[in-house]
């Protein structure tokens, strides 16, 4: 296969036999952008909606069901947008959304109403100027988080230009790229691309969005190595998704795969209330059980922070169950054996 999968026919060619699924693909794609790269299609082991990779990109009719609690702007980008392309919710860091296209379209995307090839693809030059001016005029901005869309849709030349413009702002110290490109289109993330985004004056981090260990083809591993070998540290970002990774084995494999590839697990996101995503949602209680399970069984390097975005643009909330709580007015600590013990201990 050579081209990105977009139509019902493309998904049929992958071997999906269920007519209920294939006949709805084109209907769903009139509402939401559809794309799966051949590189990720090659990671599919079982061509059905149960496959943990395919399920992330295969349009299902469930997407046309929107629940009352679901909203177009689930994490509140809009109320925190002072100029086009900037989300300034936390004092010392901003999101800079330059492109609204992605190499793949995740069915559970929290910005699904804002991304896709039919949206305004890119900030216009004068909008980008205004966004950069906003950053330059706010000395409290210490970190710029490039997101979108997928910022690695920028050509190496444009990625370099952007890096240079941010390098020119003295108070910006950190440039963080949030991307799916190393797994979605690993061939883009070459050693040259790493050089394009690297900086000698700022710390550059790349946060990789991946949700299942099967996404890590050899080429994907090499793409990550290209970044890390260039001196760019990587962290991970995953979404807890029903039918994809909502079990301890899948999550453990995923976290270990990150660490084996020198990527430090950072966030496990609870899925947001994006429209038409209820078939991916698990409860926060289930999520908490799973992260407690990770903590009890895996290396500390393999444990992400479990976060839920409070709807409306407030902030993230950490939902990782705490090992410290007050019991009868006394601080108690939970051991990995599940027992709570007073701290300090009342007797030796
Ligand atoms: C998640 C998020 C950030 C980054 O938060 P960190 O906890 O620093 O990773 C920044 N701005 C907005 C609007 C966010 O949603
Ligand atoms: S790569 Fe990110 S922004 Fe793009 S569709 Fe997936 S979740 Fe949404």
């Amino acid at each position: 296969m050579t081209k990105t999968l977009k139509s019902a026919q493309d998904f049929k060619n992958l071997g999906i036999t269920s007519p209920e699924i294939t006949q709805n693909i084109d209907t769903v794609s009139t509402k939401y952008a559809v794309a799966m790269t051949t590189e990720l299609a090659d990671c599919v082991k079982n061509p059905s909606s149960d496959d943990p990779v395919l399920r992330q990109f295969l349009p299902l009719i469930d997407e046309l069901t929107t629940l009352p609690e679901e909203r177009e702007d689930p994490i509140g980008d809009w109320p925190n947008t002072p100029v086009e392309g900037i989300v300034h919710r936390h004092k010392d860091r901003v999101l800079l959304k330059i492109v609204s296209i992605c190499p793949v379209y995740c069915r559970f995307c929290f910005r699904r109403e804002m991304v896709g090839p039919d949206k305004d693809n890119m900030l216009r030059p004068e909008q980008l100027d205004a966004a950069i001016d906003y950053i330059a005029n706010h000395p409290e901005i210490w970190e710029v988080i490039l997101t979108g869309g997928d910022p690695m849709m920028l050509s190496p030349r444009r990625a370099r230009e952007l890096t240079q413009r941010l390098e020119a702002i003295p108070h910006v110290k950190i440039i963080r790229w949030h991307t799916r490109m190393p797994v979605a289109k690993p061939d883009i993330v070459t050693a040259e691309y790493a050089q394009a985004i690297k900086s000698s004056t700022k710390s550059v981090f790349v946060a990789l969005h991946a949700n299942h260990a099967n996404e890590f083809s050899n080429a994907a591993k090499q793409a990550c190595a290209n970044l890390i070998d260039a001196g760019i540290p990587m962290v991970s970002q995953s979404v807890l998704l029903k039918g994809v990774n909502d079990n301890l084995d899948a999550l453990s494999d995923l976290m270990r795969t990150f660490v084996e590839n020198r990527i430090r697990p950072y966030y496990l996101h609870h899925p947001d209330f994006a429209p038409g995503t209820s078939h991916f949602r698990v409860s926060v209680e289930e999520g908490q059980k799973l992260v407690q399970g990770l903590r009890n069984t895996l290396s500390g390097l393999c444990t992400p922070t479990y976060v839920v975005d409070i709807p409306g643009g407030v902030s993230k909330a950490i939902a990782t169950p705490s090992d410290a709580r007050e019991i009868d007015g006394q601080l108690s600590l939970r051991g990995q054996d599940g027992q709570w013990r007073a701290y300090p201990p009342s007797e030796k």
Side-chain angles (χ1 to χ4, degrees):
M1 258 174 297
T2 53
K3 70 178 195 33
T4 297
L5 287 68
K6 291 192 171 131
S7 68
Q9 191 56 50
D10 296 337
F11 283 93
K12 271 193 212 163
N13 292 345
L14 204 58
I16 299 169
T17 48
S18 158
E20 293 109 272
I21 291 182
T22 50
Q23 73 202 10
N24 290 319
I25 292 175
D26 291 331
T27 316
V28 177
S29 69
T30 60
K31 180 135 195 237
Y32 296 112
V34 173
M36 179 179 198
T37 55
T38 51
E39 289 88 340
L40 280 169
D42 286 342
C43 300
V44 171
K45 299 196 167 154
N46 154 27
S48 81
S49 58
D50 296 333
D51 183 273
V53 178
L54 184 53
R55 189 175 168 78
Q56 297 181 55
F57 308 104
L58 176 68
L60 297 180
I61 197 72
D62 312 57
E63 291 178 43
L64 301 183
T65 306
T66 298
L67 301 185
E69 62 271 32
E70 295 177 340
R71 32 180 105 193
E72 290 193 349
D73 180 26
I75 76 162
D77 281 353
W78 296 333
N80 292 308
T81 297
V83 298
E84 198 65 39
I86 294 277
V87 181
H88 196 178
R89 187 168 81 177
H90 303 291
K91 192 166 180 230
D92 74 336
R93 55 213 194 274
V94 289
L95 308 185
L96 174 54
K97 302 196 282 188
I98 293 202
V99 292
S100 53
I101 47 175
C102 302
V104 287
Y105 290 103
C106 311
R107 307 324 303 160
F108 47 85
C109 175
F110 64 121
R111 293 209 177 100
R112 60 189 333 208
E113 302 286 344
M114 305 166 217
V115 300
D118 59 337
K119 313 285 176 209
D120 277 339
N121 275 339
M122 198 156 174
L123 286 187
R124 291 193 302 276
E126 67 276 16
Q127 289 174 319
L128 180 58
D129 291 348
I132 300 271
D133 282 348
Y134 180 88
I135 297 169
N137 292 332
H138 287 77
E140 69 275 21
I141 298 172
W142 173 80
E143 178 178 25
V144 175
I145 301 169
L146 303 172
T147 176
D150 194 319
M152 285 198 186
M153 293 299 283
L154 295 174
S155 68
R157 184 180 59 78
R158 299 194 94 131
R160 181 79 226 132
E161 273 170 19
L162 174 64
T163 301
Q164 284 169 339
R165 294 185 75 175
L166 295 173
E167 281 174 335
I169 306 174
H171 54 265
V172 170
K173 306 291 185 195
I174 312 292
I175 304 172
R176 190 198 319 174
W177 293 70
H178 275 247
T179 181
R180 217 159 173 11
M181 200 62 88
V183 292
K185 252 184 193 282
D187 292 352
I188 298 284
V189 191
T190 56
E192 292 71 41
Y193 204 96
Q195 290 306 318
I197 66 169
K198 193 185 156 126
S199 169
S200 53
T201 53
K202 312 292 181 193
S203 284
V204 179
F205 278 71
V206 169
L208 170 67
H209 171 191
N211 305 314
H212 196 278
N214 291 0
E215 293 169 46
F216 282 79
S217 59
N218 287 334
K221 292 176 186 174
Q222 183 58 51
C224 297
N226 289 341
L227 295 168
I228 298 166
D229 289 346
I232 299 172
M234 287 183 75
V235 297
S236 78
Q237 194 188 16
S238 308
V239 187
L240 179 62
L241 297 166
K242 191 189 223 160
V244 174
N245 58 19
D246 62 331
N247 64 79
L248 195 52
D249 283 345
L251 274 185
S252 302
D253 279 354
L254 174 63
M255 297 305 152
R256 281 187 162 170
T257 302
F258 283 134
V259 175
E260 287 165 18
N261 287 283
R262 297 180 280 167
I263 301 166
R264 171 69 166 101
Y266 179 50
Y267 278 155
L268 176 66
H269 293 268
H270 192 75
D272 294 308
F273 286 120
T277 59
S278 56
H279 52 301
F280 283 113
R281 219 163 290 126
V282 299
S283 69
V284 172
E285 290 75 11
E286 281 170 83
Q288 289 183 313
K289 270 197 211 122
L290 287 167
V291 294
Q292 186 87 64
L294 290 178
R295 181 66 190 132
N296 286 348
T297 53
L298 298 186
S299 157
L301 283 177
C302 296
T303 49
T305 303
Y306 179 40
V307 289
V308 189
D309 247 280
I310 302 173
V314 180
S315 71
K316 296 175 180 62
I318 295 179
T320 304
S322 173
D323 286 340
R325 80 156 76 126
E326 216 179 88
I327 298 177
D328 298 333
Q330 154 105 61
L331 178 72
S332 293
L333 299 179
R334 181 194 169 284
Q336 289 186 7
D337 57 4
Q339 300 298 311
W340 291 89
R341 295 174 179 82
Y343 185 88
S346 46
E347 52 204 71
K348 292 231 166 83

